[in-house]
Amino acid sequence: MKKEVGSRAGSAWPVFKNYAQATAHYPWLFLAVLLAVFLTVGTSVTSPLLLKHFIDLITVQGIDPAYLQVMLFTLGVYALVVFGNWIAVRLQMWTVTRLQARVSADLYNVAFSHLIRHSHDFFINNFAGALTRKVGRYAHAYLQIFHNVIEGILPTFLFTIGVITVLFLENAVLGLGLLAWTIFFVTLSYFLTVWRYKYKLARATQDSRLTGTLSDAIGNHSAVTFFASEVHEKKRVAGVVTDWYKATRRSWDSDVLAYGIQGFLTRAAQVGLLFVGFYLWWKGSITIGSLVLLQIYVISLIDQVGNITGNLRQLFDALSEANEMIEVMNEPHAIQDVPDAVPLEADNGSVVFDSVAFAFEGTSPVLADFSLTIEPRQRVAFVGPSGAGKTTLTKLLLRLHEVTGGSIRIDNQDIRNVTQESLRQAIAFVPQESILFHRTLQENIAYGKPGATLEEVITAAKKAHCHEFIDALPQKYETHVGERGVKLSGGERQRVAIARAILKDAPILVLDEATSALDSESEAYIQDALSVLMEGKTVIVIAHRLSTIMKMDRIVVIEGGKIVADGTHDELLKEEGLYHKLWSIQAGSFVTDAPVNNN
């Protein structure tokens, strides 16, 4: 914990740097904010001085018609300054809200843009809920930091300088006394805030942990229900809540102690300076107006300086929250485009695995010297036992992982030298568990071709045999499918995913167990849809159900990361090798490959 706290405490500068760069995009608006702050502070310092001058005129001259014009002029200037302060405050609020809104929007975009480019492994190893919270905190922390620095600490600093300067000119003892107290108070507040920072960081860490734990349990509610694990999950969450409670209590207890010390000092200063002012007035060193001025300034200054405690606390809280996202943004993307990456030109769709090697970090190799050539528009199936490396090959092809040796080429272009965006645009991927957004069916299908018309979406849906069930829904293509498509059945989700791939019309198609978890009727529909999808494309199919790949041009049998057989269905059966063994095991459970009635 100490190491973590120390690393974050030392990272305030990157936060300020990021936020300063984001603010610098709106220089004139920022200068308008500063101008408004200076005007607000200037009028706040000037108005009590004018009031002091007016009181001195009354107490010294009394009701003297000779001084009436001077008194009225002083009151008039005082009124102008007071209303000028009102205008300055309104200007400050107007400019601040617009600047904060614009910069916050930019920060949301920057944080999401960086986050979404992280690797497949990164998202596997992090809670989606915790990452979402970090993005939100990163933008929200800017509001807190800007408010506390520009609208809190800076005005207090300027006001303190103005007040001490005026009081020093009135009476050196008052000015020096207030200066000494202010320095002592601010210094103590700083050290108290630094002392409390470790508790704030601990609380922020536990807060993120609690968010992730809740997200994990709620997001997997079905599994909790199926396994009757409510009691287990309650205990697990309760344990995390207990840690959160302890961290929160320590954080808030430190607030109570700090506020107690600072509250005592502010009251002592207010009472002490009142007695000093009274003594100086009694001795004739200052006027009644100066005594009133002193009290107005002291009350205002104590209020503002006292707020520094809250400003510093909120500032460090915001820094700790922003640092969580800064750490994510400082973590380099595991898979990046090379500096001179060019768009992939996949006109034919040939795929070559050339002596490919791959191993997950800290594990034994999954693939070693794997070589395979897939001709343009050839349909190839990968079969073999679990853990053979079939899915790994498709992930390497999509660059979800990076090869550790050898190369993968598409139309003689090494995929490491092309942009990831163009690579994935050239490949339509249909996974075993289709990935749908909590959006409308039209939006989910059109995801394969941004900007697609409703007519194009419907055409793709008909080819994928999902138009029938969509058209029967009350809201048809405007129906929201729920988170990850939970409102649809497995077969319906898969057909929507196929419609999306049909609309994408990429030259290379990858199917990863696309029919393994479906009933016979759904599989028949989907097999027919897949035959449409495969037309004129280079196809790679991963399948455990061998009945679905009998008509492939080639079947590549993989075991232990190596090719042990390669041929057609009939050729591999004659070899009586691993494929023949797998076929024999499944021989009694195949689904009849019946055509689908489209009428």
Side-chain angles (χ1 to χ4, degrees), residues 447-484:
Y447 206 75
K449 182 182 177 182
T453 64
L454 178 60
E455 290 72 21
E456 291 175 308
V457 168
I458 292 175
T459 299
K462 288 180 178 178
K463 292 180 180 179
H465 296 292
C466 58
H467 175 73
E468 295 82 358
F469 80 80
I470 294 175
D471 195 52
L473 296 172
Q475 294 180 295
K476 302 185 185 305
Y477 283 86
E478 291 301 313
T479 302
H480 280 76
V481 301
E483 188 173 5
R484 302 186 69 84

Side-chain angles (χ1 to χ4, degrees), residues 490-511:
E492 290 170 341
R493 288 196 299 270
Q494 203 70 337
R495 278 180 269 176
V496 170
I498 292 172
R500 176 193 293 170
I502 290 174
L503 191 58
K504 184 175 183 179
D505 195 27
I508 299 173
L509 172 64
V510 177
L511 306 173

Side-chain angles (χ1 to χ4, degrees), residues 220-476:
N220 292 284
H221 173 265
S222 297
V224 174
T225 302
F226 296 154
F227 287 89
S229 297
E230 290 88 350
V231 174
H232 170 73
E233 290 300 320
K234 287 178 182 178
K235 289 181 179 178
R236 185 168 180 269
V237 170
V240 178
V241 169
T242 298
D243 293 338
W244 173 87
Y245 163 74
K246 291 178 180 178
T248 301
R249 188 189 63 192
R250 285 191 289 266
S251 174
W252 289 354
D253 284 347
S254 69
D255 289 344
V256 172
L257 178 59
Y259 289 153
I261 294 173
Q262 291 158 340
F264 175 81
L265 290 175
T266 56
R267 285 160 178 79
Q270 185 175 353
V271 174
L273 285 171
L274 178 60
F275 275 95
V276 172
F278 174 75
Y279 175 78
L280 292 173
W281 172 78
W282 182 262
K283 291 295 185 180
S285 299
I286 60 174
T287 65
I288 289 292
S290 296
L291 185 60
V292 173
L293 177 67
L294 171 64
Q295 282 305 295
I296 293 175
Y297 274 165
V298 168
I299 292 172
S300 299
L301 182 61
I302 285 177
D303 182 56
Q304 291 203 34
V305 172
N307 287 336
I308 284 188
T309 302
N311 293 141
L312 290 174
R313 177 182 63 81
Q314 293 175 14
L315 177 62
F316 277 90
D317 283 349
L319 286 172
S320 65
E321 292 182 353
N323 272 323
E324 291 186 326
M325 190 62 207
I326 291 292
E327 290 173 358
V328 173
M329 295 176 70
N330 286 340
E331 183 176 341
H333 295 124
I335 299 177
Q336 302 182 35
D337 290 341
V338 296
D340 56 348
V342 297
L344 174 68
E345 296 180 4
D347 298 325
N348 298 316
S350 67
V351 178
V352 177
F353 296 89
D354 187 0
S355 301
V356 170
F358 177 75
F360 292 102
E361 185 176 355
T363 63
S364 56
V366 178
L367 300 169
D369 197 28
F370 183 94
S371 295
L372 175 69
T373 298
I374 300 175
E375 300 296 336
R377 289 173 285 283
Q378 191 174 48
R379 299 179 301 170
V380 177
F382 291 166
V383 300
S386 296
K390 306 183 298 296
T391 298
T392 299
L393 285 168
T394 62
K395 289 182 177 180
L396 291 174
L397 177 63
L398 286 161
R399 285 192 73 191
L400 301 182
H401 303 305
E402 205 78 279
V403 297
T404 53
S407 65
I408 300 176
R409 298 190 299 276
I410 294 178
D411 285 350
N412 294 320
Q413 301 160 82
D414 192 322
I415 62 173
R416 290 171 296 190
N417 297 329
V418 302
T419 62
Q420 296 176 66
E421 181 181 8
S422 64
L423 169 66
R424 291 161 190 161
Q425 285 177 342
I427 301 173
F429 179 62
V430 181
Q432 178 179 358
E433 181 181 354
S434 54
I435 304 169
L436 301 184
F437 295 92
H438 182 29
R439 303 172 190 173
T440 66
L441 283 161
Q442 179 179 350
E443 289 176 297
N444 271 287
I445 296 174
Y447 206 75
K449 182 182 177 182
T453 64
L454 178 60
E455 290 72 21
E456 291 175 308
V457 168
I458 292 175
T459 299
K462 288 180 178 178
K463 292 180 180 179
H465 296 292
C466 58
H467 175 73
E468 295 82 358
F469 80 80
I470 294 175
D471 195 52
L473 296 172
Q475 294 180 295
K476 302 185 185 305

Side-chain angles (χ1 to χ4, degrees), residues 49 162-176 290:
L49 194 58
V163 165
I164 291 175
T165 300
V166 172
L167 289 181
F168 186 83
L169 294 175
E170 288 288 321
N171 186 281
V173 174
L174 291 177
L176 291 174
S290 296

Side-chain angles (χ1 to χ4, degrees), residues 70-118:
V70 176
M71 292 178 183
L72 291 176
F73 177 78
T74 303
L75 279 179
V77 175
Y78 173 77
L80 288 175
V81 172
V82 168
F83 283 103
N85 177 264
W86 179 84
I87 294 173
V89 171
R90 302 285 82 73
L91 177 62
Q92 180 178 324
M93 293 177 63
W94 188 86
T95 53
V96 164
T97 54
R98 274 151 183 77
L99 179 62
Q100 287 182 332
R102 290 182 181 181
V103 175
S104 295
D106 291 346
L107 292 173
Y108 270 116
N109 288 328
V110 169
F112 176 76
S113 296
H114 184 91
L115 181 64
I116 204 67
R117 293 199 305 273
H118 271 297

